[in-house]
Amino acid sequence: MGYKVAVVGATGNVGREMLDILAERAFPADEVVALASSRSLGQEVSFGDKILKVKTLDTYDFSDTDICLMSAGGEASKEWSPRIGQQGCVVIDNSSAFRYDADVPLIVPEVNADAVVGFTKRNIIANPNCSTAQLVVALKPLHEAATIKRVVVSTYQSVSGAGKDAMDELFSQTRAVFTAGEVVTKKFTKRIAFNVIPHIDVFMEDGYTKEEWKMVAETKKMLDPKIKLTATAVRVPVFIGHAEAVNVEFERPLSPEQATEILRSAPGVLVIDKRENGGYMTPHEAAGEDATYISRIREDATVENGLNFWCVSDNLRKGAALNAVQIAEVLVNRKLLSKAKKAA
Ligand SMILES: NC(=O)c1ccc[n+]([C@@H]2O[C@H](COP(=O)([O-])OP(=O)(O)OC[C@H]3O[C@@H](n4cnc5c(N)ncnc54)[C@H](OP(=O)(O)O)[C@@H]3O)[C@@H](O)[C@H]2O)c1
């Protein structure tokens, strides 16, 4: 028997990618429903070789839908995800609204798939922030090998992480620069074309941004609360693909060669690390791919048991849509969906 799956935010960056990934991976769905706001009613989106007409979230009845892939922003999630869960449909939520709720598992299947069983309390499972998802895929096997004490990470995050309007802003600003037109800034706080901005999400009292705080809180929740992590999150003028420069201190020694071997056999990871011109991965090459790519693995001799590496992934795929579909696959493969119906 196949399942009925709803994709909320189906006209957005992540929602469209979710539809592609459900089709690519032949997810066992008898029916896939595309939902968005009333602005998009009747708009068409593609799902494999089919075209789906977009319906409105406001009027949709979830009582016979098994899984909802929710990707319509924090406000829509806060209002809708609990209600959808109460109707017996399991919500895999892409926003940050429920990630830190003790009754909601936060899942990256390569890292903590077993924790998914906790979803029955609210029928909601949270998907992590895009920059955390790729980071923990790389950190998990290294943590198992040598126990991570501290991580220092600087991110280089593409504009698609801020939605489709942000991609349009990079495009129109770039064109304006070349044609001597007016550079209009709406979505970002400063010009993003030919620039970098050290500010993602809102500022917190301690001077960090919420994006930086999310990486700390989510790594602790999914991997190990004892890991110390500090982050600087930066937006760069790249359309798709997030990169991260990662510095890790371990309890025990781990050579670059050992780390390379471990990462080569880790699920979801591909190592591309030739110490020569072009022998590393960049966001442009990672766009459209599923893996988390690791390059530039080297010793940090300034601390005991230190390593540096470079981590790149498609933020719309592993950072959002792919991870959500992988969570749905865990629910199906472990036959957990019947528990959702009972919990509702
Ligand atoms: N982009 C990433 O890398 C990434 C990674 C992790 C998590 N996320 C999260 O995923 C979510 C979506 O991101 P995105 O990049 O896809 O944004 P986006 O491109 O701006 O798309 C937003 C989608 O949500 C829909 N929507 C907005 N308000 C709605 C409402 N009240 N009711 C129903 N649908 C509504 C929009 O529909 P209309 O077209 O009808 O307005 C559109 O389909 C956000 O919560 C974001 O934080 C994104």
Side-chain angles (χ1 to χ4, degrees):
M1 188 202 82
Y3 298 93
K4 186 168 178 184
V5 179
V7 174
V8 179
T11 54
N13 271 345
V14 175
R16 277 180 282 133
E17 205 71 43
M18 282 170 164
L19 291 168
D20 285 349
I21 291 171
L22 287 168
E24 274 169 28
R25 294 171 75 96
F27 186 83
D30 283 343
E31 188 179 350
V32 173
V33 184
L35 300 170
S37 77
S38 51
R39 295 178 287 272
S40 303
L41 180 65
Q43 198 177 309
E44 293 182 336
V45 289
S46 54
F47 168 57
D49 53 11
K50 296 194 188 91
I51 298 289
L52 306 179
K53 276 225 188 301
V54 176
K55 299 179 179 174
T56 46
L57 171 64
D58 293 1
T59 51
Y60 184 74
D61 176 3
F62 282 87
S63 54
D64 68 345
T65 301
D66 301 289
I67 299 172
C68 171
L69 303 179
M70 184 79 186
S71 190
E75 289 313 309
S77 283
K78 274 184 213 149
E79 183 184 348
W80 284 96
S81 293
R83 284 204 232 166
I84 298 169
Q86 277 159 14
Q87 290 184 58
C89 173
V90 182
V91 183
I92 301 173
D93 191 287
N94 251 289
S95 77
S96 58
F98 300 98
R99 288 179 193 152
Y100 319 109
D101 183 326
D103 290 340
V104 173
L106 175 67
I107 302 292
V108 169
E110 293 88 342
V111 174
N112 64 340
D114 292 347
V116 85
V117 291
F119 78 90
T120 51
K121 290 187 185 137
R122 301 195 67 181
N123 275 353
I124 302 174
I125 301 166
N127 214 40
N129 180 43
C130 38
S131 35
T132 315
Q134 67 186 67
L135 180 68
V136 292
V137 167
L139 292 182
K140 159 88 175 184
L142 301 177
H143 186 50
E144 277 177 353
T147 308
I148 294 171
K149 277 166 59 179
R150 179 169 183 258
V151 181
V152 182
V153 56
S154 302
T155 71
Y156 305 73
Q157 297 181 223
S158 67
V159 294
S160 57
K164 57 188 176 185
D165 294 347
M167 295 178 85
D168 290 346
E169 187 156 315
L170 172 59
F171 181 81
S172 56
Q173 287 186 357
T174 305
R175 189 174 50 193
V177 170
F178 277 115
T179 57
E182 189 194 353
V183 175
V184 179
T185 295
K186 279 195 204 143
K187 187 83 191 169
F188 297 110
T189 51
K190 300 214 176 196
R191 173 176 133 174
I192 185 66
F194 306 99
N195 201 7
V196 298
I197 305 174
H199 171 194
I200 302 180
D201 209 332
V202 296
F203 274 92
M204 308 198 49
E205 265 183 20
D206 60 4
Y208 283 83
T209 62
K210 186 89 184 280
E211 186 80 356
E212 293 158 352
W213 176 86
K214 284 177 202 166
M215 294 188 79
V216 178
E218 295 176 22
T219 302
K220 285 178 182 288
K221 182 165 175 176
M222 285 187 286
L223 198 50
D224 188 337
K226 292 202 278 297
I227 292 176
K228 290 181 188 167
L229 188 145
T230 185
T232 303
V234 179
R235 189 73 73 191
V236 297
V238 166
F239 281 107
I240 295 175
H242 287 0
E244 298 171 342
V246 188
N247 176 269
V248 191
E249 271 182 76
F250 297 93
E251 298 267 0
R252 299 184 294 282
L254 189 71
S255 70
E257 293 73 26
Q258 287 169 319
T260 302
E261 270 315 299
I262 289 163
L263 289 167
R264 276 198 200 288
S265 53
V269 176
L270 283 177
V271 177
I272 298 196
D273 196 11
K274 292 186 186 156
R275 293 175 172 183
E276 61 187 38
N277 291 348
Y280 40 79
M281 200 63 175
T282 62
H284 171 65
E285 297 156 292
E289 302 292 330
D290 287 349
T292 293
Y293 293 91
I294 306 298
S295 307
R296 308 281 332 274
I297 302 166
R298 61 213 191 275
E299 184 186 355
D300 173 9
T302 65
V303 292
E304 210 180 339
N305 308 327
L307 281 183
N308 282 307
F309 62 87
W310 175 247
C311 172
V312 183
S313 195
D314 181 329
N315 53 295
L316 298 178
R317 291 180 79 91
K318 187 58 196 169
L322 171 65
N323 198 67
V325 174
Q326 286 177 304
I327 294 171
E329 289 170 349
V330 172
L331 292 173
V332 168
N333 295 340
R334 299 190 183 191
K335 301 185 171 47
L336 293 169
L337 284 164
S338 55
K339 294 191 191 297
K341 298 292 178 202
K342 282 181 213 139

